[in-house]
């Protein structure tokens, strides 16, 4: 029993929520968000994306925020806040 408890994956105690809203506010705009919470160490990661669609091009702005103690699952990440701008061209 001790060996089983010691080898228990920390990801088994996670809560996750993902939300996607297509055609939000204006028709070609999509909004997505996700949060993951590690119940064992109370660290969190949040992610949000706003994506605008044209006929052959997508433009997206993403934000990821990690929080928690320095030795926690998500708090140990080197960057606590990450912004990303993405442009995709489809052929």
């Amino acid at each position: 029993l001790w060996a089983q408890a010691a080898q228990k994956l920390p990801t088994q105690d996670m809560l996750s929520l993902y939300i996607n809203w297509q055609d939000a506010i204006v028709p070609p705009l999509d909004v997505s968000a996700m949060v993951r919470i590690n119940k064992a160490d109370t660290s969190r990661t949040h992610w949000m994306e706003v994506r605008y669609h044209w006929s052959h091009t997508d433009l997206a702005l993403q934000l990821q925020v990690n929080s928690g103690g320095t030795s926690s699952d998500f708090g140990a990440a080197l960057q606590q806040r990450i912004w990303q701008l993405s442009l995709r061209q489809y052929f």
Side-chain angles (χ1 to χ4, degrees), residues 1-13:
L1 290 176
W2 178 85
Q4 273 185 322
Q7 295 175 357
K8 183 178 177 184
L9 296 174
T11 55
Q12 288 182 332
D13 292 329

Side-chain angles (χ1 to χ4, degrees), residues 44-47 63-67 74 79-82:
R44 297 174 183 213
T45 186
H46 304 83
W47 172 84
L63 170 64
Q64 181 176 341
V65 178
N66 298 307
S67 62
F74 298 117
Q79 297 177 335
Q80 290 189 353
R81 189 173 307 246
I82 302 165

Side-chain angles (χ1 to χ4, degrees), residues 3-41:
Q4 273 185 322
Q7 295 175 357
K8 183 178 177 184
L9 296 174
T11 55
Q12 288 182 332
D13 292 329
M14 291 261 191
L15 297 174
S16 297
L17 176 66
Y18 178 79
I19 298 170
N20 182 280
W21 183 14
Q22 293 183 337
D23 296 333
I25 304 168
V26 292
L29 181 72
D30 294 345
V31 177
S32 300
M34 179 200 66
V35 63
R36 291 185 70 196
I37 302 168
N38 185 326
K39 291 178 16 180
D41 61 16

